[in-house]
Amino acid sequence: MDDEKMVRQANQIAQYFSAYPEDRAKEGVRGHIRKFWEPRMRTQLINYAGAGGEGLHPLVLWAATQLQDEAGQPV
Amino acid sequence: MASVNPINYGTPRRESDTQVTLEIDGRSVTVPAGTSVMRAAIESGIDVPKLCASDNVEPFGSCRLCLVEIEGKRGYPASCTTEVAEGMEVRTVSDKLNQLRRGVIELYLSDHPGASKVETGDVGDDELLRLARDLDVREVRYDKEGRNHQDAVIDDSNPYFDFDSSRCIVCSRCVRACDEVQGTFALTVDGRGFASMISAGTDSDDFLNSECVSCGACVQACPTEALVEKNVVEQGMPERSVTTTCAYCGVGCSFNAELKGDEVVRMVPAKEGKANHGHSCVKGRFAWGYTNHPDRITKPMVRDKITDPWREVSWDEAMSFAVERINGIRDKHGSTALGAITSSRCTNEETYLVQKMARAVFGTNNVDTCARVCHSPTGYGLNSTFGTSAGTQDFDSVEKSDVMLVIGANPTDAHPVFASQMKKRLREGARLIVVDPRAIDLVRSPHVAAEHHLQLQPGTNVALVNALAHTVLAEGLENRAFVEQRCDVEEYDAWREFILREENSPEHTAQYTGVPADALREAARLYATGGNAAIYYGLGVTEHSQGSTMVMGMANIAMATGNIGRPGVGVNPLRGQNNVQGSCDMGSFPHELPGYRHISDQGVRDIYEAEWGVKLDDEPGLRIPNMIDAATGGTFKALYVQGEDILQSDPNIKHIAAGLAAMECVIIQDIFLNETASYAHVFLPGSTFLEKDGTFTNAERRINRVRKIRTAPGGYADWEVTQMLAQALGYPMNYGHPSEIMDEIARTTPTFRGVSFDKIDALGSVQWPCNDEHPEGTPVMHVDNFVRGKGKFMLTPFVPTDERANRRFPLLLTTGRILSQYNVGAQTRRTANRLWHAEDWLELHPSDAEVRGIKDGTLVAVASRMGETTLRAKVSERMTPGVVYTTFHFPETAANVITTEYSDWATECPEYKVTAVEVRPCNTLSEWQRRYMDTRDQMQRIEGNQSVRAPDTVAASVEEASDDDWEPAE
């Protein structure tokens, strides 16, 4: 998908979980993307975040870092 | 085999804790108090003559045929209106009764055209003639030249049935069926005495132009063939019947397909059907003619390029063609370049096989289903809060409801048989709250009126449900005992703190929703304190950028008020397609195996790896929109689609077309050359519900049998075609019958552990979970505990959608469907239902119409930031100012050219219900529509044929496409 759409969708997830306390919100965003996004989409997000992540919600940026660290690990 | 003429017990069943014993014709009979003498007799095997009585309507006592003698009572009381009493002694047979009945029959026959048939025995479906034969009434002493109704003109305006008033005995069964069963109140007895006549409205109305919704309840009720199916007139009476399940909406009505040879004469709703109790709608009863439509594709076809004409080939050649392409793509790009879409119109067994094909044969979890675009948020929302992805109640639960909260659903159009059940309960006194931008029929219809209609702005559901919750908590209306006993209290406390914030008060949310705070508070109080309160919802909840949040919001208020876990309450999605519940249950989502178990769970994968003999990928696959995105991005190359038309049903058609055009192998398995087939390389002929064995699961989790009546014209049921393709790809898939597939589902899926064809055949149907704990199924879920243990309150922040009205696009478009048509219309457009709805139209409020110079019937252009289409306007006060509405049944309209790609945050369910548009009068079709129609035949032509399609269906075409600049080809 194009980056604009990806950023919008990732940020929507963050907007939902941001209602929760920070630690739970972070885990919510990471867990949701890990559980529902196909690897190509996660890779696109990780790469986009790695290139600066313009427009990404802070919770998504954090999640992208975690996803990169745990690539290949179980959900 | 079902009976062509099931027993009619004359009056409805009564329920009572008190049993009454009486004697009928010397036989001791015990029945519940309140039962009629007629029903008591018939239940005990004693037939009682009757014409005006039927067990689906209240007794009327007009025909005077069911007379009986009762010891100690004077005269001859009507058994239909006489209730049983303890110790009563009844005689149904005597010389005097026989004399009276014969006299009545003779009078009826004196003004009836079929008297001569009594002699020949050819009485058809006419109960009067049958009684005349049985009572041996061979002669009519009265002069036929006297006043009579034999010159009456037949009303043949309805495409499916005739009304011949010369046969009518004015018994009022049709009127009462329309009132009591359907709840439309379209029919009446007009005139008095001899002039009495059944009428569909005013003198100038015929059936077609009346308020009649053609449900057919009157036809089924008529005892004299005055109302009779045209098919019966033309083909004669059916000889046998097979019980099966309707293939339209998620109500899942049981029908007896009544046959002559292997040809269907009529579909009669089954009295034993636990979802419909003998009722039906116009689609299920009458609109099955598409199964024989000449547009059906009966031979496999292939083509190298989508610009080539289709070439009819043998099944072997089609399979070889598909295998070569799939293997070539897999060798070059890997399994992740392949995917499949399962069908919510096909059976559970067929759906299971398609996801198995994707996972075990293609080697990928890239599989999805049409629930992506309808109820995927239901799955996410109810799973998060309750622990399972399904509605909580059976349909009959509504009979115990005191309050109904209907949100974003239009049951009278989309789930009409259940709507009749709702209306019946509302007439009995249940109270109704409707939440909808549009004044749906339930808001005000005969003898039904919503106490509150919260006419909110599209896109503000979550703000509204938060305000309902805020009112409940702020005014102390919650059920604290239920919460403490059944729910996670820590989560509740967090939710309570969130909801009680000022931002969620009705006074604050009114700026978004447009719903006055007072009205909202009144509705909340009614929901919380009105007794058993049940929520029913539809796509007006799910098809939003916050669809999943809204589902969780509804689950929250149900838990907070204790409205969960017993009959009469619950959270109930009215699911759109016949088997959309089943397709989700069967593992159609890319992240889940059957039974909603995540693909990352090694224990679950172990079960299927052992069963299927392959190693499974542990990563979630692509959803439908992701497949399209990956296709335009060059990493997704092949798609196997069973019974789904994504080019018409999914949002942003241009993007869907671009994705399909970028693929190297699109395999369509369908009964018609649908819109998506314009971009396909292989077409495999599919089968209708009449041509296969299997099961459908309806919106109440009820697994119903589908039974094969004839062989598909292509030769194979859909499950056989999938199996053939799997075998051609080298996978050993060797089922002999769909029951074996269900056995595998039961073996591998805990919630289906106790399901088998034998059990369904024995019980009629079964609702999952069906396992050791619930061997005969589960009508109401979460009775003692939630599936997840403790109910979990989820926070529901309101986030306004990015799709906003502005100066350029000042109106909000929302979409829906209409009674006579069904979804993309592939089936209903090929039936006489077109008489009621031959095109999509745009509904808008008079004030919005006036300022734009728009009148009823004006051709208008509807433009969004995505595209533009043209259709006719219908000015309607159903709409709220600023909101316009259209259906999406016709490809010519291309409603999804204008819908956006905004989607639910959790599931990517498209936001069909909110599109900012401008509307203006115009005099031409849009650029898209003109190109589309110019090229449709070219893209779907078959070698040797001029065209395979009736002119009412169209398709788009493209030669080369990119994501950015794609437009229909010239």
Side-chain angles (χ1 to χ4, degrees), chain A residues 1-2 4-6 8-21 24 28 31-42 44 70-75, chain B residues 336-337 366 380 491 498 545 549 552 591 598 600 619-623 625-626 629-630 635-636 655 792-797 799 802 901-906 908 963:
Chain A
M1 77 177 96
D2 64 54
E4 184 186 343
K5 182 174 170 182
M6 178 197 67
R8 187 178 69 238
Q9 292 193 350
N11 286 352
Q12 279 184 282
I13 296 168
Q15 280 177 308
Y16 172 74
F17 284 104
S18 61
Y20 283 95
R24 190 163 168 187
H32 189 90
I33 292 173
R34 182 68 184 88
K35 196 171 176 183
F36 295 105
W37 281 31
E38 198 256 6
R40 272 169 282 190
M41 297 163 63
R42 299 204 307 265
Q44 183 183 353
E70 66 191 39
Q73 300 296 313
V75 176
Chain B
T336 57
N366 296 336
Y380 184 88
E491 297 285 354
F498 165 79
S545 63
T549 312
M552 294 187 287
H591 64 281
H598 200 271
S600 63
E619 288 284 358
L622 296 167
R623 301 157 166 170
N626 308 147
D629 289 337
T635 64
F636 187 83
H655 183 55
K792 185 177 181 182
F793 285 84
M794 300 290 292
L795 301 191
T796 52
V799 181
D802 289 339
E901 281 193 299
Y902 291 140
S903 60
D904 174 46
W905 67 268
E908 284 194 72
D963 203 9

Side-chain angles (χ1 to χ4, degrees), chain B residues 157-218:
Chain B
S157 59
N158 189 287
Y160 298 117
F161 61 85
D162 292 341
F163 175 54
D164 178 358
S165 59
S166 75
R167 303 184 72 96
C168 178
I169 59 170
V170 201
C171 67
S172 197
R173 257 165 77 165
C174 56
V175 178
R176 286 177 287 141
C178 188
D179 296 354
E180 297 175 29
V181 179
Q182 166 57 28
T184 294
F185 295 82
L187 305 182
T188 189
V189 180
D190 198 15
R192 287 171 175 268
F194 181 79
S196 297
M197 178 86 76
I198 299 299
S199 171
T202 66
D203 288 346
S204 59
D205 284 333
D206 54 23
F207 266 84
L208 182 65
N209 295 300
S210 72
E211 296 293 312
C212 167
V213 293
S214 295
C215 69
C218 57

Side-chain angles (χ1 to χ4, degrees), chain B residues 616-688:
Chain B
L616 295 176
D617 187 1
D618 63 356
E619 288 284 358
L622 296 167
R623 301 157 166 170
I624 292 172
N626 308 147
M627 293 181 200
I628 299 300
D629 289 337
T632 55
T635 64
F636 187 83
K637 299 289 183 181
L639 183 60
Y640 170 43
V641 186
Q642 184 178 81
E644 194 65 29
D645 194 1
I646 58 172
L647 189 62
Q648 193 181 340
S649 64
D650 286 33
N652 191 357
I653 288 176
K654 293 178 182 178
H655 183 55
I656 300 287
L660 289 167
M663 296 181 201
E664 295 172 8
C665 179
V666 176
I667 303 170
I668 299 293
Q669 184 174 320
D670 210 298
I671 57 176
F672 298 116
L673 208 48
N674 62 20
E675 305 308 304
T676 309
S678 292
Y679 296 86
H681 308 85
V682 180
F683 187 94
L684 305 173
S687 52
T688 72

Side-chain angles (χ1 to χ4, degrees), chain B residues 545-769:
Chain B
S545 63
Q546 287 204 284
S548 292
T549 312
M550 180 60 183
V551 173
M552 294 187 287
M554 295 185 302
N556 287 340
I557 60 170
M559 291 189 289
T561 55
N563 278 307
I564 201 85
R566 65 180 185 277
V569 299
V571 180
N572 304 284
L574 296 174
R575 309 203 65 148
Q577 303 214 50
N578 53 312
N579 199 37
V580 69
Q581 178 69 55
S583 71
C584 297
D585 300 341
M586 293 298 103
S588 294
F589 287 138
H591 64 281
E592 287 174 339
L593 285 157
Y596 304 102
R597 292 165 295 168
H598 200 271
I599 192 71
S600 63
D601 187 326
Q602 179 65 57
V604 179
R605 286 203 313 279
D606 285 346
I607 296 168
Y608 289 95
E609 288 178 353
E611 185 74 38
W612 297 344
V614 295
K615 183 80 178 161
L616 295 176
D617 187 1
D618 63 356
E619 288 284 358
L622 296 167
R623 301 157 166 170
I624 292 172
N626 308 147
M627 293 181 200
I628 299 300
D629 289 337
T632 55
T635 64
F636 187 83
K637 299 289 183 181
L639 183 60
Y640 170 43
V641 186
Q642 184 178 81
E644 194 65 29
D645 194 1
I646 58 172
L647 189 62
Q648 193 181 340
S649 64
D650 286 33
N652 191 357
I653 288 176
K654 293 178 182 178
H655 183 55
I656 300 287
L660 289 167
M663 296 181 201
E664 295 172 8
C665 179
V666 176
I667 303 170
I668 299 293
Q669 184 174 320
D670 210 298
I671 57 176
F672 298 116
L673 208 48
N674 62 20
E675 305 308 304
T676 309
S678 292
Y679 296 86
H681 308 85
V682 180
F683 187 94
L684 305 173
S687 52
T688 72
F689 73 115
L690 299 175
E691 298 154 1
K692 60 180 71 169
D693 279 300
T695 57
F696 292 152
T697 305
N698 73 358
E700 48 168 1
R701 297 169 278 103
R702 186 180 301 284
I703 309 166
N704 262 315
R705 277 281 274 120
V706 178
R707 293 185 174 85
K708 182 177 176 178
I709 286 158
R710 60 180 184 234
T711 299
Y716 299 100
D718 286 300
W719 66 271
E720 292 174 296
V721 176
T722 303
Q723 177 160 285
M724 200 187 315
L725 182 58
Q727 290 171 342
L729 284 162
Y731 182 82
M733 194 181 277
N734 297 298
Y735 302 99
H737 187 270
S739 62
E740 297 171 16
I741 305 172
M742 180 54 83
D743 291 344
E744 180 175 314
I745 295 164
R747 231 175 11 249
T748 54
T749 312
T751 46
F752 279 68
R753 178 104 50 219
V755 180
S756 69
F757 276 34
D758 286 345
K759 179 175 284 186
I760 298 169
D761 289 345
L763 298 178
S765 62
V766 64
Q767 290 172 271
W768 69 259

